Amino acid sequence: MAEEPTKYLLKERDIPTHWYNILADLPSPPPPVLHPGTGQPIGPADLAPLFPIELIKQEVSTEREVPIPGEVREIYKLWRPSPLYRARRLERALDTPAHIYYKYEGVSPAGSHKPNTAVAQAYYNKQEGMKRLATETGAGQWGSALALACGLFGLECTVYMVKVSYQQKPYRRSMMQTYGAEVIPSPSDRTNAGRKVLGEHADSPGSLGIAISEAVEDAATHDDTHYALGSVLNHVLLHQTVIGLEAKKQMEMAGEYPDVVIGCVGGGSNFAGLAYPFVRDKLTGAQPKLRFLATEPESCPTLTRGEYTYDFGDTVGLTPLVKMYTLGHSFVPPEIHAGGLRYHGDAPSLSQLVHEKVIEAAAYHQRASFDAAVQFARAEGVIPAPEASHAIRAAIDEALQAREAGERRTILFNLSGHGFFDMAAYDAYFAGKLEDYAYPREKVEEALQHLPKVG
Ligand SMILES: *Cc1c(COP(=O)(O)O)cnc(C)c1O
């Protein structure tokens, strides 16, 4: 019997030497990023207090290939190349003629794709002589990734963790502390922003918006400290393209090319990381029929129900204005378990590609996503992060459609992380306590009233 591989493995020497920059291939030039005060396009000087110059250059670069520093590739070897799996057991369980592939990013030490950019960001900050990085974290995935990366480069790391998560996710906090980070429940008395909130609500549970304000203030008021962001920005999406560049080689090993590429979207980094090297094939005309599906929660449906317009990146309104799909920066989504998908906006390049109909988007309810996650775990073994379950839902639906149509469809999705720290969410699912939040129409309409006026 011919051997039928379950996973496709590359060698360490196959780790990409360059990241792929989609800005070189976009069908039209990206809309400028605007200063929140003046409404004029921002320049490098506006970002210099927060980010190292190399990352600012990457943010605006239109070079197609950006070299990956040797030291970063060395660290990538701890978990890269990540495996590509053919989900043969899931295919059998679904009785589908479709071929399902998934790229598994849960093999990183922090358990998600986020270290792919955290390591690069820590590297450039170290190069520029920084001593410390400050950031925020909600569910703890990004904080864990940055804590890991800072530890590897001998940088100090301060993580402002949303206070409710700090209390509800004690093991993510322990993980960050194990890597050497200082974890501060936010709002805190360390910053003006935190003290102001505490002055008004001493028992505030915190929010990602407040935590961002604290981390940015910390960085802006300390010369030896920069800020780091785990998604949305061009340079973050750029770093994540190692995922798709590897996947392309692995699909070649499997002798196949996808019909559809799927990923879940919070800010867009894991989706873009897998998809953009394939998007290039569509934009150049090499693969005109290739489809892309960006998936999100029904409770925070930015790409499917948001407006494509200028908005702030943060909740408070301090960051530059970017053109993106947004539900309004003051929109606070319901408390779903996929904490990484509760962002009011999306990466600008992804928004543009959805707007130009290169990429499709779909939204799923929380329970339907967990149905898919449990089915996946029982067939393939890995327990998915609640975020990734939104990609799995779409992949399973594609496979079921292929069965209905009696057609061979090749499906590729990103399994962005494992769910080992999210078992409380699975408990809630099995206890029948997971809620399906309807589209919060009134809250979104209210938030869209407060969009900044531009132009
Ligand atoms: C943070 C996170 C996401 C969402 O963020 P993106 O930038 O959209 O990728 C998805 N999956 C996992 C496992 C995450 O940790």
Side-chain angles (χ1 to χ4, degrees):
M1 194 176 102
E3 232 183 278
E4 298 213 312
T6 291
K7 57 188 181 320
Y8 297 87
L9 300 174
L10 297 168
K11 303 274 191 232
E12 287 180 2
R13 63 166 180 273
D14 300 317
I15 293 173
T17 56
H18 293 72
W19 292 298
Y20 165 62
N21 183 8
I22 192 96
L23 266 57
D25 292 314
L26 287 178
S28 53
V33 173
L34 306 178
H35 192 281
T38 64
Q40 294 302 307
I42 58 163
D46 296 309
L47 298 173
L50 296 181
F51 301 106
I53 189 69
E54 284 304 317
L55 290 179
I56 296 172
K57 282 189 197 156
Q58 289 180 2
E59 193 58 25
V60 295
S61 168
T62 51
E63 292 291 316
R64 185 166 289 113
E65 300 206 309
V66 177
I68 304 177
E71 259 184 89
V72 172
R73 288 185 78 231
E74 271 307 307
I75 292 179
Y76 278 172
K77 286 181 188 170
L78 288 172
W79 70 94
R80 307 212 69 85
S82 68
L84 177 83
Y85 284 85
R86 167 95 183 263
R88 294 186 186 274
R89 284 167 181 77
L90 180 63
E91 290 169 16
R92 277 199 290 271
L94 297 171
D95 188 25
T96 176
H99 289 187
I100 307 174
Y101 292 87
Y102 60 96
K103 181 76 165 157
Y104 184 39
E105 290 295 309
V107 293
S108 84
S112 77
H113 64 290
K114 289 198 172 79
N116 296 331
T117 184
V119 166
Q121 293 189 44
Y123 168 82
Y124 291 114
N125 277 290
K126 179 79 179 178
Q127 289 293 104
E128 203 174 280
M130 284 299 126
K131 292 241 155 21
R132 185 167 69 97
L133 291 182
T135 197
E136 72 288 336
T137 199
Q141 292 269 22
W142 169 241
S144 312
L146 195 69
L148 163 75
C150 284
L152 292 169
F153 283 104
L155 288 166
E156 292 168 39
C157 183
T158 306
V159 182
Y160 292 87
M161 185 172 191
V162 178
K163 195 174 278 172
V164 278
S165 306
Y166 184 91
Q167 287 153 356
Q168 285 171 358
K169 304 226 166 178
Y171 297 125
R172 277 279 167 201
R173 165 171 56 71
S174 320
M175 189 178 197
M176 291 183 261
Q177 288 165 338
T178 302
Y179 287 137
E182 183 184 18
V183 187
I184 299 171
S186 164
S188 76
D189 59 8
R190 291 279 184 105
T191 63
N192 286 329
R195 284 188 292 270
K196 180 160 179 280
V197 176
L198 289 174
E200 289 158 11
H201 307 281
D203 53 358
S204 163
S207 73
L208 209 49
I210 298 167
I212 293 175
S213 305
E214 290 207 273
V216 168
E217 182 185 326
D218 184 337
T221 53
H222 294 92
D223 285 345
D224 62 357
T225 304
H226 270 160
Y227 172 68
L229 197 64
S231 187
V232 181
L233 298 177
N234 290 334
H235 68 260
V236 178
L237 274 57
L238 173 79
H239 300 155
Q240 293 295 353
T241 58
V242 286
I243 303 171
L245 292 166
E246 287 175 8
K248 267 188 135 171
K249 286 191 195 168
Q250 289 163 308
M251 291 299 296
E252 257 171 51
M253 287 168 77
E256 299 212 62
Y257 191 91
D259 294 302
V260 58
V261 179
I262 300 168
C264 68
V265 172
S269 74
N270 87 85
F271 173 83
L274 175 66
Y276 280 5
F278 291 96
V279 170
R280 177 163 192 231
D281 291 348
K282 181 160 174 143
L283 294 175
T284 59
Q287 295 286 343
K289 287 196 193 139
L290 177 55
R291 289 171 52 227
F292 299 92
L293 192 50
T295 66
E296 59 186 13
E298 192 69 58
S299 56
C300 188
T302 49
L303 292 170
T304 50
R305 308 247 209 172
E307 240 176 81
Y308 185 54
T309 185
Y310 275 98
D311 198 4
F312 297 108
D314 67 330
T315 315
V316 188
L318 300 171
T319 69
L321 295 164
V322 291
K323 191 161 186 188
M324 61 180 175
Y325 279 97
T326 177
L327 298 170
H329 61 277
S330 59
F331 171 67
V332 181
E335 293 273 333
I336 55 164
H337 286 278
L341 306 187
R342 293 177 68 244
Y343 182 59
H344 69 269
D346 288 299
S349 59
L350 172 60
S351 296
Q352 190 178 343
L353 288 163
V354 169
H355 187 68
E356 294 181 11
K357 301 202 161 33
V358 176
I359 293 169
E360 302 161 45
Y364 300 95
H365 277 300
Q366 175 156 257
R367 268 188 297 184
S369 300
F370 271 86
D371 289 342
V374 170
Q375 188 170 24
F376 180 86
R378 289 177 181 178
E380 296 290 317
V382 176
I383 296 179
E387 290 84 0
S389 69
H390 293 75
I392 300 174
R393 177 73 270 162
I396 289 179
D397 288 353
E398 287 281 336
L400 293 175
Q401 284 165 18
R403 182 175 74 185
E404 292 299 305
E407 87 187 26
R408 244 290 310 280
R409 200 177 286 186
T410 302
I411 301 162
L412 169 63
F413 77 90
N414 200 357
L415 185 53
S416 52
H418 65 63
F420 301 164
F421 291 87
D422 302 282
M423 296 317 296
Y426 282 86
D427 283 349
Y429 171 79
F430 288 115
K433 287 185 179 152
L434 266 197
E435 267 193 74
D436 273 346
Y437 297 99
Y439 166 59
R441 172 192 291 274
E442 275 159 31
K443 279 169 74 184
V444 172
E445 278 171 6
E446 155 77 18
L448 289 176
Q449 302 278 313
H450 298 107
L451 286 173
K453 305 269 176 292
V454 172

